[in-house]
Amino acid sequence: MKKKILSVLLLAVMLLNMGMLSACNKGPQKAEAGFVVPEGGYDGSEVTITFYHTMGANLKEVLDLYITEFNKLYPNIHIEHKQVGSYDDVRDQISTEINVGGQPNIAYCYPDHVAMYNIAKAVVPMDTLIGSTIEVKRADGTTEVLGLTDAQQKDFISGYYEEGKAYGDGLMYTLPLSKSTEVLYYNKTFFDEHNLKVPTTWDEMEEVCKKIKEIDPKSIPLGYDSESNWFITMCEQSGSDYTSATGEHFLFDNETNRAFVKRFSEWHQKGYVTTQQIYGAYTSGLFKAESGQRSYMSIGSSAGATHQRPDANSEGKYPFDVGITTVPQLNPDKPKVISQGPSLCIFNKKNPQEVVASWLFVKYLTTNLEFQAEFSMKSGYIPVLKSVTSVEAYADFLSKADGGNHIAAMSVKVGLEQEAAYYTSAAFNGSSTARDQVGALLQKCMVAKDAGDIDAFIKKAFEEAIEECKYRT
């Protein structure tokens, strides 16, 4: 948090020097049309493009392979990519570099990162690039349209694509690269043995937790890794306010939200549920346990499926089979599940050819079916294109999905099946603060065992969270 506040302060100092801070404090403005595409698009000139990301060795190998393929089309576009620690490390380094104009060309990003970068108007809106009909010549003699065709745009999973427009000014600042969501992992062996129904709603979840507690009184039936995600997802499922990119940003203090926080507080007091912060570690540890206190359901990232699988014995067999399904809903007919995972943004540069070249590479990674398939199989992330299942190797990967050796495939398969349910929250400078505060708020209320008047306690907790959001932004 201290690093992030320092980054914001550095940007603010720069903007004061430029005489721009007063305008920024008015909230999101209607942005200009965006980047002016040079006549002819990419002119074939030699440019070096820097790309900051968080990839480990296995994913770097995939990236390098496809950079080689990209360079067969555009040999004068040199891609230099660099792992910069965690997602927050990428954000902090870029926020510092923006102050001296040293930001990369492309970066992994989350919406709140982009909102921070855009205090200095550092990110290129992609609209004019996406809409360009200029034909660009490739080294192999073929041509491609610079922008995205209608078919390419429609092939993106809608919820992932629309995240790029979450900034309140109507412009597109990112394209999705690889995504994850939350899913419900459950001990299928235990559920089958006790004839338990896998919950599809939160009411059913409460009932099955009660039954599990009766079967195994020492258990904590459900572990939920992210308090923040739980709170925000409940806002989406309830249709209640959380935040807004324009006007008053922090809207989550309302009766509907206080009611579900009270409900989950009661669940915790009954021993039905714990969370990562309350438990002190990822709740997958409870879920994988074979003795002592354990859980039989776990809600966590779809990209972390292998961490939800119990250890195999010496014969390579697992002590129980894992089932995976979508998270419970308030209304299964109108499902809402969170969209997570990195997108790509492009930064402003003095040389417009760097911007166009960056766009061509971003377009290549996000619309190339083979890259999306291989990256997903290596990482466990959900691909962002619906037609990726037409890739033979990927279709074979999904066909083997099970709760054991191929649990990652099962998790991705669930993620692809719920593609119409994805949502993203409004992005603005302070949206990450709201996320942190609602997570802390939920945790605080869940453990409030001796709070006296619980309604008054929850009401005060909400008020304090709103005040903290305003103070920090």
Side-chain angles (χ1 to χ4, degrees):
M1 180 60 73
K2 288 182 179 178
K3 283 185 179 180
K4 184 180 173 187
I5 292 172
L6 179 59
S7 298
V8 174
L9 288 173
L10 286 170
L11 283 174
V13 169
M14 182 189 72
L15 291 171
L16 280 170
N17 291 334
M18 297 169 61
M20 292 168 57
L21 189 58
S22 60
C24 291
N25 279 340
K26 294 177 183 177
Q29 307 292 303
K30 182 64 179 178
E32 298 83 2
F35 176 70
V36 177
V37 181
E39 186 176 347
Y42 173 57
D43 63 9
S45 59
E46 199 156 352
V47 292
T48 297
I49 303 302
T50 55
F51 173 26
Y52 288 1
H53 56 72
T54 64
M55 298 181 200
N58 63 327
L59 295 181
K60 284 182 182 178
E61 290 178 4
V62 178
L63 182 62
D64 284 334
L65 174 65
Y66 282 87
I67 287 174
T68 299
E69 294 302 309
F70 176 76
N71 283 146
K72 290 177 182 178
L73 304 176
Y74 299 103
N76 288 339
I77 300 177
H78 307 291
I79 309 295
E80 294 183 354
H81 63 93
K82 177 182 178 182
Q83 180 189 21
V84 187
S86 67
Y87 295 121
D88 285 352
D89 291 329
V90 172
R91 176 200 66 200
D92 293 339
Q93 182 162 330
I94 292 173
S95 296
T96 301
E97 292 175 349
I98 285 173
N99 293 287
V100 294
Q103 67 268 23
N105 297 91
I106 304 168
Y108 264 10
C109 60
Y110 276 79
D112 59 293
H113 301 177
V114 176
M116 180 186 291
Y117 304 150
N118 267 348
I119 296 175
K121 300 184 184 297
V123 180
V124 175
M126 297 181 180
D127 303 75
T128 54
L129 291 159
I130 290 171
S132 175
T133 58
I134 294 171
E135 286 198 352
V136 181
K137 293 182 180 179
R138 298 162 164 171
D140 65 356
T142 63
T143 62
E144 69 169 302
V145 174
L146 181 63
L148 295 177
T149 65
D150 287 343
Q152 286 173 324
Q153 292 182 54
K154 290 176 182 177
D155 196 27
F156 281 101
I157 290 176
S158 178
Y160 297 159
Y161 187 76
E162 293 301 316
E163 180 183 293
K165 302 177 184 177
Y167 302 89
D169 61 7
L171 298 182
M172 187 86 164
Y173 289 97
T174 66
L175 281 185
L177 177 68
S178 51
K179 291 295 179 181
S180 63
T181 186
E182 287 186 325
V183 292
L184 172 63
Y185 301 93
Y186 63 97
N187 185 324
K188 188 175 185 300
T189 302
F190 179 85
F191 270 67
D192 290 346
E193 286 176 355
H194 297 280
N195 198 29
L196 296 173
K197 180 181 181 296
V198 179
T200 60
T201 68
W202 293 109
D203 287 341
E204 291 175 357
M205 173 61 79
E206 185 170 7
E207 287 301 311
V208 79
C209 283
K210 181 180 178 181
K211 290 178 181 178
I212 290 173
K213 199 71 176 172
E214 291 170 353
I215 297 167
D216 181 359
K218 293 181 180 180
S219 71
I220 302 176
L222 171 65
Y224 204 129
D225 271 337
S226 174
E227 296 94 341
S228 297
N229 284 0
W230 199 3
F231 187 104
I232 298 166
T233 295
M234 292 307 299
C235 291
E236 288 290 330
Q237 292 187 7
S238 303
S240 62
D241 289 330
Y242 167 53
T243 57
S244 171
T246 58
E248 177 61 43
H249 290 312
F250 310 110
L251 308 174
F252 55 81
D253 184 7
N254 58 65
E255 185 177 347
T256 298
N257 297 350
R258 290 193 294 271
F260 70 67
V261 166
K262 181 180 179 180
R263 183 183 194 187
F264 298 146
S265 174
E266 292 170 350
W267 286 14
H268 178 66
Q269 303 309 325
K270 293 177 180 178
Y272 290 173
V273 63
T274 190
T275 65
Q276 181 183 345
Q277 293 302 315
I278 296 172
Y279 178 56
Y282 285 111
T283 61
S284 55
L286 271 175
F287 183 67
K288 294 191 297 184
E290 298 176 48
S291 61
Q293 190 175 55
R294 58 193 301 194
S295 67
Y296 296 94
M297 294 177 288
S298 176
I299 294 178
S301 171
S302 60
T306 56
H307 298 291
Q308 301 280 355
R309 181 180 58 198
D311 295 331
N313 61 23
S314 58
E315 298 177 352
K317 295 182 179 180
Y318 298 100
F320 63 85
D321 194 25
V322 180
I324 307 177
T325 188
T326 190
V327 298
Q329 301 291 320
L330 280 179
N331 181 358
D333 294 330
K334 295 181 180 180
K336 295 288 184 180
V337 291
I338 198 166
S339 168
Q340 303 179 126
S343 295
L344 297 176
C345 66
I346 298 171
F347 290 94
N348 279 309
K349 292 289 180 176
K350 291 180 180 179
N351 181 0
Q353 287 301 315
E354 287 188 36
V355 175
V356 176
S358 298
W359 162 254
L360 285 170
F361 186 60
V362 167
K363 176 187 173 185
Y364 180 80
L365 294 183
T366 57
T367 63
N368 185 298
L369 288 176
E370 286 72 23
F371 173 79
Q372 284 287 311
E374 192 156 356
F375 198 84
S376 173
M377 289 187 286
K378 286 279 188 179
S379 67
Y381 278 115
I382 303 167
V384 300
L385 303 174
K386 289 177 279 192
S387 64
V388 74
T389 54
S390 65
V391 176
E392 185 176 352
Y394 200 72
D396 182 61
F397 167 73
L398 293 179
S399 71
K400 296 175 181 176
D402 62 28
N405 290 331
H406 304 100
I407 193 170
M410 177 182 282
S411 181
V412 168
K413 191 173 183 180
V414 172
L416 287 170
E417 289 170 350
Q418 61 187 23
E419 53 105 351
Y422 291 118
Y423 74 85
T424 53
S425 302
F428 54 92
N429 187 35
S431 54
S432 63
T433 300
R435 175 180 170 79
D436 291 342
Q437 288 302 312
V438 298
L441 159 68
L442 180 55
Q443 177 194 352
K444 180 180 180 179
C445 294
M446 287 177 70
V447 299
K449 186 175 182 180
D450 301 313
D453 185 342
I454 188 64
D455 292 310
F457 181 90
I458 290 173
K459 188 174 187 302
K460 184 178 179 182
F462 270 81
E463 291 170 352
E464 290 175 345
I466 292 286
E467 290 174 5
E468 190 69 13
C469 285
K470 292 179 178 178
Y471 171 75
R472 290 184 178 274
T473 56

PDB file of all heavy atoms in Angstrom, residues 233-258:
ATOM      1  N   THR A 233     -18.834  -9.702  -5.794  1.00  0.00           N
ATOM      2  CA  THR A 233     -19.711 -10.618  -6.525  1.00  0.00           C
ATOM      3  C   THR A 233     -21.139 -10.556  -5.997  1.00  0.00           C
ATOM      4  O   THR A 233     -22.105 -10.577  -6.774  1.00  0.00           O
ATOM      5  CB  THR A 233     -19.174 -12.062  -6.435  1.00  0.00           C
ATOM      6  OG1 THR A 233     -17.911 -12.128  -7.103  1.00  0.00           O
ATOM      7  CG2 THR A 233     -20.136 -13.053  -7.070  1.00  0.00           C
ATOM      8  N   MET A 234     -21.291 -10.454  -4.678  1.00  0.00           N
ATOM      9  CA  MET A 234     -22.633 -10.354  -4.119  1.00  0.00           C
ATOM     10  C   MET A 234     -23.314  -9.055  -4.545  1.00  0.00           C
ATOM     11  O   MET A 234     -24.537  -9.031  -4.768  1.00  0.00           O
ATOM     12  CB  MET A 234     -22.583 -10.456  -2.592  1.00  0.00           C
ATOM     13  CG  MET A 234     -22.165 -11.823  -2.063  1.00  0.00           C
ATOM     14  SD  MET A 234     -23.148 -13.205  -2.717  1.00  0.00           S
ATOM     15  CE  MET A 234     -24.791 -12.770  -2.138  1.00  0.00           C
ATOM     16  N   CYS A 235     -22.558  -7.977  -4.665  1.00  0.00           N
ATOM     17  CA  CYS A 235     -23.138  -6.731  -5.181  1.00  0.00           C
ATOM     18  C   CYS A 235     -23.667  -6.956  -6.593  1.00  0.00           C
ATOM     19  O   CYS A 235     -24.782  -6.531  -6.937  1.00  0.00           O
ATOM     20  CB  CYS A 235     -22.091  -5.612  -5.196  1.00  0.00           C
ATOM     21  SG  CYS A 235     -21.572  -5.015  -3.576  1.00  0.00           S
ATOM     22  N   GLU A 236     -22.855  -7.606  -7.438  1.00  0.00           N
ATOM     23  CA  GLU A 236     -23.275  -7.860  -8.824  1.00  0.00           C
ATOM     24  C   GLU A 236     -24.491  -8.770  -8.867  1.00  0.00           C
ATOM     25  O   GLU A 236     -25.447  -8.522  -9.620  1.00  0.00           O
ATOM     26  CB  GLU A 236     -22.119  -8.494  -9.602  1.00  0.00           C
ATOM     27  CG  GLU A 236     -20.988  -7.555  -9.921  1.00  0.00           C
ATOM     28  CD  GLU A 236     -21.353  -6.513 -10.969  1.00  0.00           C
ATOM     29  OE1 GLU A 236     -22.197  -6.801 -11.839  1.00  0.00           O
ATOM     30  OE2 GLU A 236     -20.776  -5.413 -10.925  1.00  0.00           O
ATOM     31  N   GLN A 237     -24.467  -9.840  -8.093  1.00  0.00           N
ATOM     32  CA  GLN A 237     -25.594 -10.772  -8.109  1.00  0.00           C
ATOM     33  C   GLN A 237     -26.859 -10.136  -7.547  1.00  0.00           C
ATOM     34  O   GLN A 237     -27.969 -10.470  -7.967  1.00  0.00           O
ATOM     35  CB  GLN A 237     -25.235 -12.029  -7.318  1.00  0.00           C
ATOM     36  CG  GLN A 237     -24.165 -12.885  -7.971  1.00  0.00           C
ATOM     37  CD  GLN A 237     -23.944 -14.204  -7.257  1.00  0.00           C
ATOM     38  OE1 GLN A 237     -24.669 -14.569  -6.331  1.00  0.00           O
ATOM     39  NE2 GLN A 237     -22.943 -14.951  -7.692  1.00  0.00           N
ATOM     40  N   SER A 238     -26.696  -9.208  -6.592  1.00  0.00           N
ATOM     41  CA  SER A 238     -27.848  -8.535  -5.976  1.00  0.00           C
ATOM     42  C   SER A 238     -28.362  -7.376  -6.810  1.00  0.00           C
ATOM     43  O   SER A 238     -29.469  -6.884  -6.562  1.00  0.00           O
ATOM     44  CB  SER A 238     -27.465  -8.007  -4.582  1.00  0.00           C
ATOM     45  OG  SER A 238     -26.984  -9.018  -3.741  1.00  0.00           O
ATOM     46  N   GLY A 239     -27.539  -6.908  -7.745  1.00  0.00           N
ATOM     47  CA  GLY A 239     -27.888  -5.703  -8.486  1.00  0.00           C
ATOM     48  C   GLY A 239     -27.772  -4.461  -7.630  1.00  0.00           C
ATOM     49  O   GLY A 239     -28.402  -3.437  -7.909  1.00  0.00           O
ATOM     50  N   SER A 240     -26.940  -4.532  -6.583  1.00  0.00           N
ATOM     51  CA  SER A 240     -26.780  -3.396  -5.678  1.00  0.00           C
ATOM     52  C   SER A 240     -25.522  -2.609  -6.040  1.00  0.00           C
ATOM     53  O   SER A 240     -24.627  -3.113  -6.709  1.00  0.00           O
ATOM     54  CB  SER A 240     -26.701  -3.866  -4.219  1.00  0.00           C
ATOM     55  OG  SER A 240     -25.579  -4.709  -4.022  1.00  0.00           O
ATOM     56  N   ASP A 241     -25.452  -1.383  -5.572  1.00  0.00           N
ATOM     57  CA  ASP A 241     -24.343  -0.505  -5.923  1.00  0.00           C
ATOM     58  C   ASP A 241     -23.063  -0.934  -5.216  1.00  0.00           C
ATOM     59  O   ASP A 241     -23.071  -1.344  -4.055  1.00  0.00           O
ATOM     60  CB  ASP A 241     -24.657   0.939  -5.539  1.00  0.00           C
ATOM     61  CG  ASP A 241     -25.724   1.559  -6.434  1.00  0.00           C
ATOM     62  OD1 ASP A 241     -25.807   1.149  -7.609  1.00  0.00           O
ATOM     63  OD2 ASP A 241     -26.459   2.437  -5.957  1.00  0.00           O
ATOM     64  N   TYR A 242     -21.960  -0.775  -5.935  1.00  0.00           N
ATOM     65  CA  TYR A 242     -20.631  -0.988  -5.369  1.00  0.00           C
ATOM     66  C   TYR A 242     -19.785   0.270  -5.579  1.00  0.00           C
ATOM     67  O   TYR A 242     -19.519   1.014  -4.639  1.00  0.00           O
ATOM     68  CB  TYR A 242     -19.991  -2.226  -6.002  1.00  0.00           C
ATOM     69  CG  TYR A 242     -18.513  -2.363  -5.722  1.00  0.00           C
ATOM     70  CD1 TYR A 242     -18.018  -2.321  -4.414  1.00  0.00           C
ATOM     71  CD2 TYR A 242     -17.605  -2.524  -6.773  1.00  0.00           C
ATOM     72  CE1 TYR A 242     -16.651  -2.436  -4.162  1.00  0.00           C
ATOM     73  CE2 TYR A 242     -16.240  -2.646  -6.525  1.00  0.00           C
ATOM     74  CZ  TYR A 242     -15.774  -2.597  -5.225  1.00  0.00           C
ATOM     75  OH  TYR A 242     -14.421  -2.701  -4.985  1.00  0.00           O
ATOM     76  N   THR A 243     -19.370   0.535  -6.820  1.00  0.00           N
ATOM     77  CA  THR A 243     -18.623   1.748  -7.134  1.00  0.00           C
ATOM     78  C   THR A 243     -19.077   2.279  -8.487  1.00  0.00           C
ATOM     79  O   THR A 243     -19.793   1.606  -9.233  1.00  0.00           O
ATOM     80  CB  THR A 243     -17.105   1.482  -7.206  1.00  0.00           C
ATOM     81  OG1 THR A 243     -16.856   0.458  -8.181  1.00  0.00           O
ATOM     82  CG2 THR A 243     -16.542   1.073  -5.852  1.00  0.00           C
ATOM     83  N   SER A 244     -18.616   3.486  -8.805  1.00  0.00           N
ATOM     84  CA  SER A 244     -18.889   4.090 -10.106  1.00  0.00           C
ATOM     85  C   SER A 244     -17.629   4.791 -10.582  1.00  0.00           C
ATOM     86  O   SER A 244     -16.902   5.398  -9.791  1.00  0.00           O
ATOM     87  CB  SER A 244     -20.035   5.106 -10.002  1.00  0.00           C
ATOM     88  OG  SER A 244     -20.164   5.831 -11.220  1.00  0.00           O
ATOM     89  N   ALA A 245     -17.360   4.723 -11.891  1.00  0.00           N
ATOM     90  CA  ALA A 245     -16.186   5.394 -12.455  1.00  0.00           C
ATOM     91  C   ALA A 245     -16.381   6.892 -12.544  1.00  0.00           C
ATOM     92  O   ALA A 245     -15.416   7.646 -12.652  1.00  0.00           O
ATOM     93  CB  ALA A 245     -15.864   4.824 -13.842  1.00  0.00           C
ATOM     94  N   THR A 246     -17.621   7.352 -12.512  1.00  0.00           N
ATOM     95  CA  THR A 246     -17.911   8.782 -12.608  1.00  0.00           C
ATOM     96  C   THR A 246     -18.732   9.229 -11.406  1.00  0.00           C
ATOM     97  O   THR A 246     -19.381   8.419 -10.741  1.00  0.00           O
ATOM     98  CB  THR A 246     -18.704   9.095 -13.896  1.00  0.00           C
ATOM     99  OG1 THR A 246     -19.923   8.331 -13.896  1.00  0.00           O
ATOM    100  CG2 THR A 246     -17.889   8.736 -15.131  1.00  0.00           C
ATOM    101  N   GLY A 247     -18.703  10.530 -11.137  1.00  0.00           N
ATOM    102  CA  GLY A 247     -19.475  11.067 -10.023  1.00  0.00           C
ATOM    103  C   GLY A 247     -18.958  10.554  -8.687  1.00  0.00           C
ATOM    104  O   GLY A 247     -17.756  10.419  -8.475  1.00  0.00           O
ATOM    105  N   GLU A 248     -19.883  10.269  -7.778  1.00  0.00           N
ATOM    106  CA  GLU A 248     -19.510   9.695  -6.483  1.00  0.00           C
ATOM    107  C   GLU A 248     -19.013   8.272  -6.706  1.00  0.00           C
ATOM    108  O   GLU A 248     -19.730   7.427  -7.240  1.00  0.00           O
ATOM    109  CB  GLU A 248     -20.723   9.693  -5.550  1.00  0.00           C
ATOM    110  CG  GLU A 248     -20.481   9.051  -4.201  1.00  0.00           C
ATOM    111  CD  GLU A 248     -19.383   9.759  -3.401  1.00  0.00           C
ATOM    112  OE1 GLU A 248     -19.367  11.013  -3.391  1.00  0.00           O
ATOM    113  OE2 GLU A 248     -18.553   9.057  -2.803  1.00  0.00           O
ATOM    114  N   HIS A 249     -17.783   7.995  -6.294  1.00  0.00           N
ATOM    115  CA  HIS A 249     -17.172   6.699  -6.603  1.00  0.00           C
ATOM    116  C   HIS A 249     -17.635   5.574  -5.695  1.00  0.00           C
ATOM    117  O   HIS A 249     -17.863   4.454  -6.154  1.00  0.00           O
ATOM    118  CB  HIS A 249     -15.645   6.813  -6.495  1.00  0.00           C
ATOM    119  CG  HIS A 249     -15.004   7.630  -7.554  1.00  0.00           C
ATOM    120  ND1 HIS A 249     -15.287   7.479  -8.895  1.00  0.00           N
ATOM    121  CD2 HIS A 249     -14.066   8.616  -7.474  1.00  0.00           C
ATOM    122  CE1 HIS A 249     -14.558   8.320  -9.603  1.00  0.00           C
ATOM    123  NE2 HIS A 249     -13.815   9.035  -8.765  1.00  0.00           N
ATOM    124  N   PHE A 250     -17.770   5.829  -4.418  1.00  0.00           N
ATOM    125  CA  PHE A 250     -17.934   4.761  -3.425  1.00  0.00           C
ATOM    126  C   PHE A 250     -19.389   4.659  -2.982  1.00  0.00           C
ATOM    127  O   PHE A 250     -19.886   5.473  -2.211  1.00  0.00           O
ATOM    128  CB  PHE A 250     -17.007   5.019  -2.242  1.00  0.00           C
ATOM    129  CG  PHE A 250     -15.586   5.295  -2.665  1.00  0.00           C
ATOM    130  CD1 PHE A 250     -15.030   6.568  -2.526  1.00  0.00           C
ATOM    131  CD2 PHE A 250     -14.812   4.298  -3.242  1.00  0.00           C
ATOM    132  CE1 PHE A 250     -13.733   6.823  -2.927  1.00  0.00           C
ATOM    133  CE2 PHE A 250     -13.507   4.546  -3.658  1.00  0.00           C
ATOM    134  CZ  PHE A 250     -12.966   5.812  -3.502  1.00  0.00           C
ATOM    135  N   LEU A 251     -20.063   3.626  -3.480  1.00  0.00           N
ATOM    136  CA  LEU A 251     -21.518   3.516  -3.332  1.00  0.00           C
ATOM    137  C   LEU A 251     -21.953   2.286  -2.551  1.00  0.00           C
ATOM    138  O   LEU A 251     -23.145   1.991  -2.485  1.00  0.00           O
ATOM    139  CB  LEU A 251     -22.163   3.471  -4.732  1.00  0.00           C
ATOM    140  CG  LEU A 251     -21.768   4.589  -5.706  1.00  0.00           C
ATOM    141  CD1 LEU A 251     -22.362   4.314  -7.083  1.00  0.00           C
ATOM    142  CD2 LEU A 251     -22.237   5.945  -5.188  1.00  0.00           C
ATOM    143  N   PHE A 252     -21.030   1.574  -1.938  1.00  0.00           N
ATOM    144  CA  PHE A 252     -21.350   0.250  -1.407  1.00  0.00           C
ATOM    145  C   PHE A 252     -22.038   0.261  -0.051  1.00  0.00           C
ATOM    146  O   PHE A 252     -22.444  -0.786   0.443  1.00  0.00           O
ATOM    147  CB  PHE A 252     -20.097  -0.631  -1.350  1.00  0.00           C
ATOM    148  CG  PHE A 252     -18.941  -0.051  -0.584  1.00  0.00           C
ATOM    149  CD1 PHE A 252     -18.886  -0.134   0.802  1.00  0.00           C
ATOM    150  CD2 PHE A 252     -17.892   0.565  -1.251  1.00  0.00           C
ATOM    151  CE1 PHE A 252     -17.815   0.387   1.507  1.00  0.00           C
ATOM    152  CE2 PHE A 252     -16.806   1.086  -0.554  1.00  0.00           C
ATOM    153  CZ  PHE A 252     -16.768   1.006   0.835  1.00  0.00           C
ATOM    154  N   ASP A 253     -22.192   1.429   0.587  1.00  0.00           N
ATOM    155  CA  ASP A 253     -22.874   1.481   1.883  1.00  0.00           C
ATOM    156  C   ASP A 253     -24.373   1.577   1.654  1.00  0.00           C
ATOM    157  O   ASP A 253     -24.943   2.651   1.522  1.00  0.00           O
ATOM    158  CB  ASP A 253     -22.381   2.676   2.696  1.00  0.00           C
ATOM    159  CG  ASP A 253     -22.994   2.715   4.102  1.00  0.00           C
ATOM    160  OD1 ASP A 253     -23.683   1.743   4.471  1.00  0.00           O
ATOM    161  OD2 ASP A 253     -22.787   3.718   4.811  1.00  0.00           O
ATOM    162  N   ASN A 254     -25.019   0.411   1.575  1.00  0.00           N
ATOM    163  CA  ASN A 254     -26.475   0.379   1.378  1.00  0.00           C
ATOM    164  C   ASN A 254     -27.060  -0.836   2.087  1.00  0.00           C
ATOM    165  O   ASN A 254     -26.338  -1.746   2.515  1.00  0.00           O
ATOM    166  CB  ASN A 254     -26.829   0.391  -0.120  1.00  0.00           C
ATOM    167  CG  ASN A 254     -26.226  -0.777  -0.880  1.00  0.00           C
ATOM    168  OD1 ASN A 254     -26.571  -1.932  -0.645  1.00  0.00           O
ATOM    169  ND2 ASN A 254     -25.311  -0.477  -1.802  1.00  0.00           N
ATOM    170  N   GLU A 255     -28.356  -0.839   2.201  1.00  0.00           N
ATOM    171  CA  GLU A 255     -29.064  -1.853   2.995  1.00  0.00           C
ATOM    172  C   GLU A 255     -28.857  -3.264   2.455  1.00  0.00           C
ATOM    173  O   GLU A 255     -28.678  -4.215   3.215  1.00  0.00           O
ATOM    174  CB  GLU A 255     -30.559  -1.517   3.038  1.00  0.00           C
ATOM    175  CG  GLU A 255     -31.370  -2.435   3.941  1.00  0.00           C
ATOM    176  CD  GLU A 255     -32.831  -2.026   4.029  1.00  0.00           C
ATOM    177  OE1 GLU A 255     -33.159  -0.898   3.599  1.00  0.00           O
ATOM    178  OE2 GLU A 255     -33.633  -2.832   4.538  1.00  0.00           O
ATOM    179  N   THR A 256     -28.898  -3.413   1.123  1.00  0.00           N
ATOM    180  CA  THR A 256     -28.737  -4.733   0.525  1.00  0.00           C
ATOM    181  C   THR A 256     -27.384  -5.335   0.877  1.00  0.00           C
ATOM    182  O   THR A 256     -27.277  -6.511   1.257  1.00  0.00           O
ATOM    183  CB  THR A 256     -28.877  -4.644  -1.007  1.00  0.00           C
ATOM    184  OG1 THR A 256     -30.186  -4.168  -1.331  1.00  0.00           O
ATOM    185  CG2 THR A 256     -28.667  -6.004  -1.658  1.00  0.00           C
ATOM    186  N   ASN A 257     -26.345  -4.520   0.769  1.00  0.00           N
ATOM    187  CA  ASN A 257     -25.001  -5.015   1.046  1.00  0.00           C
ATOM    188  C   ASN A 257     -24.794  -5.311   2.528  1.00  0.00           C
ATOM    189  O   ASN A 257     -24.129  -6.286   2.894  1.00  0.00           O
ATOM    190  CB  ASN A 257     -23.964  -4.012   0.550  1.00  0.00           C
ATOM    191  CG  ASN A 257     -24.016  -3.820  -0.954  1.00  0.00           C
ATOM    192  OD1 ASN A 257     -24.686  -4.562  -1.663  1.00  0.00           O
ATOM    193  ND2 ASN A 257     -23.318  -2.808  -1.452  1.00  0.00           N
ATOM    194  N   ARG A 258     -25.376  -4.478   3.375  1.00  0.00           N
ATOM    195  CA  ARG A 258     -25.265  -4.748   4.812  1.00  0.00           C
ATOM    196  C   ARG A 258     -25.952  -6.066   5.168  1.00  0.00           C
ATOM    197  O   ARG A 258     -25.505  -6.792   6.061  1.00  0.00           O
ATOM    198  CB  ARG A 258     -25.861  -3.584   5.617  1.00  0.00           C
ATOM    199  CG  ARG A 258     -25.035  -2.309   5.549  1.00  0.00           C
ATOM    200  CD  ARG A 258     -25.474  -1.299   6.590  1.00  0.00           C
ATOM    201  NE  ARG A 258     -26.818  -0.788   6.360  1.00  0.00           N
ATOM    202  CZ  ARG A 258     -27.113   0.272   5.623  1.00  0.00           C
ATOM    203  NH1 ARG A 258     -26.135   0.960   5.020  1.00  0.00           N
ATOM    204  NH2 ARG A 258     -28.365   0.674   5.475  1.00  0.00           N
TER     205      ARG A 258
END
